[in-house]
Short mmCIF file of all heavy atoms in Angstrom, two decimals:
data_model
loop_
_atom_site.label_atom_id
_atom_site.label_comp_id
_atom_site.label_asym_id
_atom_site.label_seq_id
_atom_site.Cartn_x
_atom_site.Cartn_y
_atom_site.Cartn_z
N ARG A 80 18.71 73.77 8.00
CA ARG A 80 17.95 72.56 8.32
C ARG A 80 16.88 72.24 7.27
O ARG A 80 16.17 71.26 7.41
CB ARG A 80 17.29 72.72 9.70
CG ARG A 80 18.27 72.94 10.84
CD ARG A 80 19.01 71.67 11.20
NE ARG A 80 18.11 70.69 11.77
CZ ARG A 80 17.86 70.56 13.07
NH1 ARG A 80 18.45 71.36 13.95
NH2 ARG A 80 17.04 69.62 13.51
N ARG A 81 16.77 73.11 6.28
CA ARG A 81 15.75 72.95 5.24
C ARG A 81 14.37 72.76 5.87
O ARG A 81 13.61 71.84 5.53
CB ARG A 81 16.09 71.77 4.32
CG ARG A 81 17.39 71.97 3.56
CD ARG A 81 17.67 70.82 2.62
NE ARG A 81 18.92 71.04 1.88
CZ ARG A 81 19.41 70.20 0.97
NH1 ARG A 81 18.77 69.07 0.70
NH2 ARG A 81 20.54 70.47 0.35
N LEU A 82 14.03 73.67 6.75
CA LEU A 82 12.78 73.57 7.49
C LEU A 82 11.62 74.11 6.67
O LEU A 82 11.63 75.29 6.27
CB LEU A 82 12.88 74.35 8.80
CG LEU A 82 13.87 73.84 9.83
CD1 LEU A 82 13.91 74.78 11.03
CD2 LEU A 82 13.52 72.42 10.27
N PRO A 83 10.60 73.31 6.41
CA PRO A 83 9.43 73.77 5.66
C PRO A 83 8.42 74.48 6.57
O PRO A 83 7.29 74.01 6.77
CB PRO A 83 8.87 72.47 5.08
CG PRO A 83 9.20 71.45 6.11
CD PRO A 83 10.53 71.86 6.70
N VAL A 84 8.81 75.61 7.13
CA VAL A 84 7.96 76.32 8.08
C VAL A 84 6.91 77.15 7.34
O VAL A 84 7.08 77.51 6.18
CB VAL A 84 8.79 77.22 9.01
CG1 VAL A 84 9.75 76.39 9.85
CG2 VAL A 84 9.56 78.26 8.21
N SER A 85 5.82 77.46 8.03
CA SER A 85 4.76 78.30 7.48
C SER A 85 4.67 79.58 8.30
O SER A 85 4.53 79.53 9.52
CB SER A 85 3.42 77.55 7.52
OG SER A 85 3.50 76.34 6.80
N MET A 86 4.72 80.73 7.61
CA MET A 86 4.70 82.03 8.27
C MET A 86 3.32 82.68 8.04
O MET A 86 2.97 83.01 6.89
CB MET A 86 5.81 82.94 7.71
CG MET A 86 7.16 82.27 7.55
SD MET A 86 7.87 81.63 9.08
CE MET A 86 8.10 83.13 10.03
N PHE A 87 2.54 82.86 9.10
CA PHE A 87 1.24 83.52 9.01
C PHE A 87 1.44 84.99 9.38
O PHE A 87 1.65 85.33 10.55
CB PHE A 87 0.24 82.84 9.94
CG PHE A 87 -0.21 81.49 9.45
CD1 PHE A 87 0.55 80.35 9.69
CD2 PHE A 87 -1.38 81.35 8.73
CE1 PHE A 87 0.16 79.11 9.23
CE2 PHE A 87 -1.81 80.11 8.27
CZ PHE A 87 -1.03 78.99 8.51
N LEU A 88 1.37 85.87 8.38
CA LEU A 88 1.79 87.26 8.55
C LEU A 88 0.62 88.22 8.69
O LEU A 88 -0.40 88.10 8.01
CB LEU A 88 2.65 87.69 7.37
CG LEU A 88 3.94 86.88 7.13
CD1 LEU A 88 4.74 87.50 5.99
CD2 LEU A 88 4.78 86.78 8.39
N THR A 89 0.81 89.20 9.59
CA THR A 89 -0.11 90.31 9.79
C THR A 89 0.56 91.59 9.28
O THR A 89 1.66 91.93 9.73
CB THR A 89 -0.46 90.47 11.28
OG1 THR A 89 -1.16 89.31 11.71
CG2 THR A 89 -1.31 91.70 11.53
N ASP A 90 -0.08 92.29 8.37
CA ASP A 90 0.55 93.44 7.72
C ASP A 90 0.97 94.51 8.71
O ASP A 90 2.09 95.03 8.65
CB ASP A 90 -0.41 94.04 6.69
CG ASP A 90 0.21 95.21 5.95
OD1 ASP A 90 1.16 94.99 5.16
OD2 ASP A 90 -0.23 96.35 6.17
N SER A 91 0.10 94.86 9.66
CA SER A 91 0.42 95.95 10.59
C SER A 91 1.54 95.57 11.55
O SER A 91 2.20 96.45 12.12
CB SER A 91 -0.83 96.35 11.39
OG SER A 91 -1.28 95.27 12.19
N VAL A 92 1.78 94.27 11.74
CA VAL A 92 2.86 93.82 12.60
C VAL A 92 4.18 93.76 11.83
O VAL A 92 5.23 94.19 12.30
CB VAL A 92 2.54 92.44 13.21
CG1 VAL A 92 3.71 91.93 14.04
CG2 VAL A 92 1.28 92.54 14.08
N VAL A 93 4.11 93.24 10.60
CA VAL A 93 5.32 93.14 9.79
C VAL A 93 5.88 94.52 9.46
O VAL A 93 7.09 94.75 9.49
CB VAL A 93 5.04 92.35 8.49
CG1 VAL A 93 6.26 92.34 7.59
CG2 VAL A 93 4.61 90.93 8.81
N GLY A 94 4.98 95.46 9.17
CA GLY A 94 5.43 96.83 8.86
C GLY A 94 6.40 96.84 7.70
O GLY A 94 6.13 96.27 6.63
N PRO A 95 7.56 97.47 7.89
CA PRO A 95 8.54 97.54 6.80
C PRO A 95 9.41 96.29 6.68
O PRO A 95 10.40 96.30 5.95
CB PRO A 95 9.39 98.75 7.19
CG PRO A 95 9.39 98.73 8.69
CD PRO A 95 8.00 98.24 9.08
#
Side-chain angles (χ1 to χ4, degrees):
R80 299 286 293 269
R81 297 183 179 180
L82 294 176
V84 298
S85 302
M86 315 300 296
F87 287 83
L88 300 184
T89 296
D90 182 69
S91 62
V92 176
V93 175

